[in-house]
């Protein structure tokens, strides 16, 4: 079976019906291991126990950005190959990405208050992540403004690719500008600066969050395919009522 | 586990994260139930997609 075969909506539904329970089980298992690791992780020598917020804040930030990268790849599928499953992937990823970005903003704010003395500051990293969240809301709103899914998909794809310029800005904002937010400490040239006792739980939680994203995205894609089938049936019903 | 003087911030962050994930899961599950019910209603009325009889590529 080739990749293009998997891109068939009916085959996608059949395949994911079998894969989804396994994905959900893997997600639960990863979170069980991750939460246990977090429980036993030592306090940071400077930040104390507040470092525990990092185990949800950082994976949420990564997934908030990752979801936009997924949407950008799907946008190329929409604009270049005009494949309807690419539209479905992009539309299904937007609310999930928005939720992870919101989680990043909320947990970051709750981490910032005891460590920085403020819930919010308009520095480049925080502002660029807030822009990402607003772009998610914009894409979701755009999808809802058009009845025709194919037309909405093309408009949303253009907006997504334009918005992708914010991704490197988020990543390098802490290097390009003076920010209250700390510079990269995990994904950086020269390796991580975090002690393994804290890095390992962080990586396990990042894997758990990634599995959660994949599980939710697949489930949301299945819903979106069903929604389009409902739309098709409604049009057939309306056509039958109008007669020949 | 002693969360120190900032325990309220840590606990609130985990509650907020859990609430956001629970909301996301709840929305997806309820959406699926609603769509399944509508598709079942169409099936009961004898309205089916042409694709179920012919081309699996269609929605």
């Amino acid at each position: 079976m080739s990749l293009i075969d998997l891109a068939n909506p009916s085959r996608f539904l059949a395949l994911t019906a079998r894969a989804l329970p396994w994905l959900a089980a893997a997600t639960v298992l990863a979170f069980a291991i991750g939460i246990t690791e977090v429980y036993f992780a030592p306090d940071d020598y400077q930040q104390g126990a507040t470092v525990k917020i990092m185990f949800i804040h950082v994976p949420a930030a990564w997934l908030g950005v990752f979801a936009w990268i997924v949407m950008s790849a799907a946008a190329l599928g929409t604009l270049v190959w005009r494949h309807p499953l690419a539209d479905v992937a992009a539309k299904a990823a937007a609310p999930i990405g928005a939720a992870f970005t919101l989680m990043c903003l909320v947990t970051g704010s709750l981490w910032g208050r005891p460590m920085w003395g403020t819930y919010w500051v308009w520095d480049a990293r925080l502002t660029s992540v807030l822009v990402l969240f607003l772009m998610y809301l914009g894409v979701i709103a755009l999808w809802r403004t058009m009845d025709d899914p194919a037309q909405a998909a093309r408009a949303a794809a253009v907006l997504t690719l334009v918005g992708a310029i914010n991704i490197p800005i988020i990543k390098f904002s802490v290097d390009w500008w003076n920010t209250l937010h700390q510079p990269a400490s995990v994904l950086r040239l020269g390796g991580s600066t975090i002690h393994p006792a804290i890095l390992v739980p962080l990586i396990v939680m990042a894997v758990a969050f990634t599995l959660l994203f994949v599980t939710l995205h697949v489930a949301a894609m299945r819903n979106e395919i069903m929604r389009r089938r409902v739309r098709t049936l409604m049009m057939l019903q309306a056509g039958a009522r109008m007669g020949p | 586990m002693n969360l120190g003087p900032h325990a309220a911030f840590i606990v609130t962050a985990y509650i907020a994260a859990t609430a956001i994930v629970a909301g996301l899961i709840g929305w997806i599950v309820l959406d699926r139930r609603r769509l399944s019910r509508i598709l079942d209603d169409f099936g009961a009325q004898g309205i089916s997609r042409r694709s179920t009889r012919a081309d699996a590529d269609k929605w």
Side-chain angles (χ1 to χ4, degrees):
Chain A
M1 183 182 286
S2 65
L3 271 178
I4 198 71
D5 290 330
L6 291 176
N8 174 298
S10 293
R11 289 202 185 96
F12 176 84
L13 284 179
L15 180 77
T16 54
R18 292 197 299 272
L20 205 52
W22 292 99
L23 277 171
T27 304
V28 171
L29 181 66
F31 267 106
I33 297 169
I35 296 292
T36 307
E37 293 259 3
V38 168
Y39 184 85
F40 290 109
D43 291 350
D44 182 73
Y45 77 108
Q46 283 183 318
Q47 304 189 33
T50 58
V51 75
K52 292 202 185 299
I53 297 177
M54 179 186 72
F55 299 119
I56 47 174
H57 170 74
V58 172
W62 286 345
L63 267 299
V65 169
F66 179 69
W68 196 276
I69 294 170
V70 168
M71 285 167 55
S72 300
L76 286 175
T78 295
L79 294 175
V80 178
W81 294 286
R82 293 180 181 260
H83 199 289
L85 207 57
D87 308 352
V88 168
K91 189 180 178 187
I96 304 169
F100 279 116
T101 308
L102 177 66
M103 190 191 299
C104 166
L105 289 168
V106 171
T107 56
S109 184
L110 287 163
W111 195 9
R113 182 66 183 87
M115 291 300 102
W116 298 340
T118 179
Y119 285 106
W120 183 262
V121 61
W122 292 100
D123 87 353
R125 171 58 69 85
L126 276 68
T127 306
S128 55
V129 173
L130 178 63
V131 168
L132 177 69
F133 179 64
L134 296 175
M135 288 192 317
Y136 273 122
L137 297 186
V139 167
I140 293 166
L142 186 58
W143 272 105
R144 287 172 177 267
T145 54
M146 297 183 198
D147 286 334
D148 179 9
Q151 193 183 6
R154 284 192 292 277
V158 172
L159 181 60
T160 301
L161 289 175
V162 171
I165 200 166
N166 191 38
I167 300 302
I169 293 175
I170 292 172
K171 166 67 181 159
F172 296 110
S173 56
V174 289
D175 302 321
W176 292 341
W177 294 284
N178 283 323
T179 59
L180 191 56
H181 194 283
Q182 67 178 63
S185 50
V186 181
L187 301 174
R188 60 188 287 279
L189 292 173
S192 169
T193 58
I194 300 179
H195 191 276
I198 290 177
L199 182 61
V200 170
L202 177 61
I203 290 172
V204 175
M205 286 296 278
V207 170
F209 269 73
T210 306
L211 283 168
L212 177 65
F213 172 81
V214 173
T215 305
L216 294 176
H217 190 216
V218 166
M221 283 180 71
R222 290 172 57 81
N223 285 2
E224 183 56 29
I225 291 171
M226 289 171 71
R227 196 178 339 275
R228 290 178 184 217
R229 291 187 169 177
V230 166
R231 182 175 183 273
T232 302
L233 289 171
M234 282 178 167
M235 289 173 74
L236 282 172
Q237 190 181 41
R241 279 182 183 156
M242 287 173 71
Chain B
M1 182 167 51
N2 179 16
L3 294 177
H6 306 302
F9 292 100
I10 302 166
V11 172
T12 307
Y14 275 82
I15 289 172
T18 305
I20 289 169
V21 171
L24 208 47
I25 293 170
W27 165 66
I28 288 172
V29 169
L30 292 176
D31 193 32
R32 172 164 182 80
R33 281 186 190 165
R34 186 182 65 84
L35 290 165
S36 294
R37 198 167 53 242
I38 295 171
L39 285 173
D40 288 346
D41 287 347
F42 274 118
Q45 292 172 42
I47 302 167
S48 63
R49 292 179 308 120
R50 280 167 290 188
S51 60
T52 57
R53 296 192 296 271
D55 183 2
D57 281 338
K58 299 273 171 53
W59 300 108

